[in-house]
Amino acid sequence: TTEGDVVVTEEQLSSLRSMPFFQDFSDEVFDGLINKARLVTFEAGSIIFKQGNPGKNFHVISTGEVEIFLKTGIEDPLTTPPNYLGTAIGTLKKGDYFGERTLITGEPRAATIRAVEKTRCFTFSKNDIPSSSILSGMQKASDERMAQMNDKYGVDMNEMKDFEYSATTKSVSLATQKRGSINRPRPIEGVDTDDKT
């Protein structure tokens, strides 16, 4: 069948219909949502979205595979390459979905998603999702659902970044960044010495 500008097989339609987020929709509401879906292709290696950015799309993988990357916030900004995505914490394949957490919570993306191979996704905009759905952000997610999402995107690991801001860690980090700098070859008062200015 053709839904909007997307050709959807009966198998794909059935798979989408059985997703936990779409199960409670009436046929009319579900058909309306599918009509607004886009089928988006991501080339191998392309970044679908980055951790920390706001999000407005929910993706269901039709073909291909994506990888989930997480930065914990304790990476050294001086030695970490600018293209570093974080630690790979999982993969998602055909029939899996991603992007739901930011729609449900309104928080920035909890992880970075990169296509491992050429990947096609059914993409749904938050604006097209009925308010009766938890994906609309207008319904509260159950504690169980939140725990599943937090586990999927490594949110507990992400909370390690709070460790970075402890006074000891921050002072060591600053000392490491400044010591030996071309601009500051001498000891730094208050960092390398106990003298405070």
Side-chain angles (χ1 to χ4, degrees):
T1 57
T2 302
E3 302 290 350
D5 58 354
V6 177
V7 177
V8 186
T9 67
E10 289 303 321
E11 177 193 352
Q12 289 171 323
L13 208 53
S14 174
S15 176
L16 287 168
R17 188 69 169 115
S18 67
M19 289 190 56
F21 300 112
F22 300 155
Q23 284 175 350
D24 297 335
F25 290 168
S26 68
D27 289 342
E28 184 181 347
V29 170
F30 177 72
D31 290 345
L33 181 62
I34 294 299
N35 275 321
K36 294 175 183 172
R38 294 176 296 131
L39 191 57
V40 180
T41 301
F42 300 99
E43 295 300 325
S46 64
I47 305 300
I48 298 172
F49 57 71
K50 281 193 169 182
Q51 180 177 344
N53 288 348
K56 60 178 182 154
N57 293 321
F58 171 66
H59 307 273
V60 181
I61 301 172
S62 173
T63 60
E65 181 178 344
V66 301
E67 209 166 11
I68 304 171
F69 290 90
L70 180 72
K71 286 185 185 178
T72 60
I74 59 173
E75 294 87 3
D76 183 344
L78 293 180
T79 60
T80 303
N83 60 348
Y84 177 69
L85 300 177
T87 302
I89 62 167
T91 57
L92 302 170
K93 299 181 180 183
K94 179 179 176 177
D96 290 332
Y97 52 85
F98 57 93
E100 75 280 13
R101 189 178 189 283
T102 193
L103 269 61
I104 292 170
T105 65
E107 296 172 3
R109 298 287 193 194
T112 296
I113 303 287
R114 183 184 73 184
V116 174
E117 59 191 41
K118 187 172 183 175
T119 301
R120 299 186 86 193
C121 295
F122 290 101
T123 300
F124 302 89
S125 169
K126 182 175 184 173
N127 297 335
D128 296 332
I129 295 172
S131 60
S132 61
S133 170
I134 162 178
L135 288 177
S136 70
M138 302 176 98
Q139 307 294 327
K140 186 172 179 347
S142 69
D143 291 343
E144 182 183 356
R145 169 100 50 211
M146 284 304 298
Q148 288 170 345
M149 288 187 301
N150 290 343
D151 185 53
K152 177 179 179 179
Y153 297 111
V155 172
D156 293 340
M157 289 171 58
N158 199 7
E159 289 171 358
M160 287 173 58
K161 69 184 174 190
D162 296 338
F163 169 77
E164 179 184 10
Y165 299 111
S166 74
T168 305
T169 309
K170 190 168 185 177
S171 68
V172 169
S173 177
L174 286 172
T176 303
Q177 290 175 34
K178 292 180 182 176
R179 188 176 294 110
S181 159
I182 276 181
N183 298 323
R184 295 177 177 262
R186 285 174 261 124
I188 302 163
E189 290 181 2
V191 175
D192 292 326
T193 69
D194 289 330
D195 301 333
K196 304 247 191 256
T197 56

